[in-house]
Amino acid sequence: MTVARSLVLFVVAALAEIGGAWLIWQGVREHRGLAWIGAGVIALGAYGFVATLQPDPNFGRILAAYGGVFVAGSLAWGVVVDRFRPDRWDLLGAAICLVGVAVIMYVPRR
C-alpha cells in the first residue's frame, strides 16, 4: 500500500507542478492575464505540500525521484495538452528517468 500511495502522490504532485508552470506560461507567454498566473502560483504551492505527504522521510530522496517523474510527466502533459509528439529519444529518456525513480524510491533498504 505504501508504494501505491507514493505513486499516487507523485502523480498528484506532477499535475500540480506541471499544471502550475503551464498556467503561468499561459498567463505570461500567451497573454492570458493575472488570473492564470495566480492560479499557477497556487498550483505550484500545492505541489510543495503534496510532496510532504510522501511516506519516505528524506527530502532529498523524494525531490530527486520526483525529478524523474517531472521529466516523464512533462512529456505526457505536452502530448495531452499541447499535442506535442515526442520522438523515440524523448520516450527513451523518460523511461530511463522512471527507472531511476524506481531505484531511488522503491529498492529495499536496510
Side-chain angles (χ1 to χ4, degrees):
M1 188 61 168
T2 301
V3 172
R5 177 176 184 246
S6 174
L7 291 171
V8 168
L9 288 169
F10 275 133
V11 169
V12 172
L15 290 172
E17 186 180 18
I18 297 163
W22 183 83
L23 287 166
I24 292 171
W25 178 283
Q26 293 298 308
V28 175
R29 297 277 305 249
E30 304 298 327
H31 308 289
R32 294 200 170 157
L34 288 176
W36 287 70
I37 295 168
V41 169
I42 291 167
L44 288 169
Y47 152 74
F49 284 100
V50 171
T52 69
L53 302 175
Q54 282 287 349
D56 190 291
N58 299 291
F59 175 81
R61 179 177 294 142
I62 291 166
L63 267 287
Y66 176 70
V69 174
F70 180 81
V71 169
S74 295
L75 289 173
W77 183 279
V79 168
V80 172
V81 176
D82 291 328
R83 295 184 184 95
F84 171 70
R85 300 209 21 113
D87 63 24
R88 64 183 173 179
W89 303 111
D90 294 323
L91 298 174
L92 178 61
I96 291 168
C97 289
L98 292 175
V99 168
V101 170
V103 169
I104 290 169
M105 288 297 294
Y106 308 120
V107 297
R109 291 186 165 82
R110 292 181 211 224

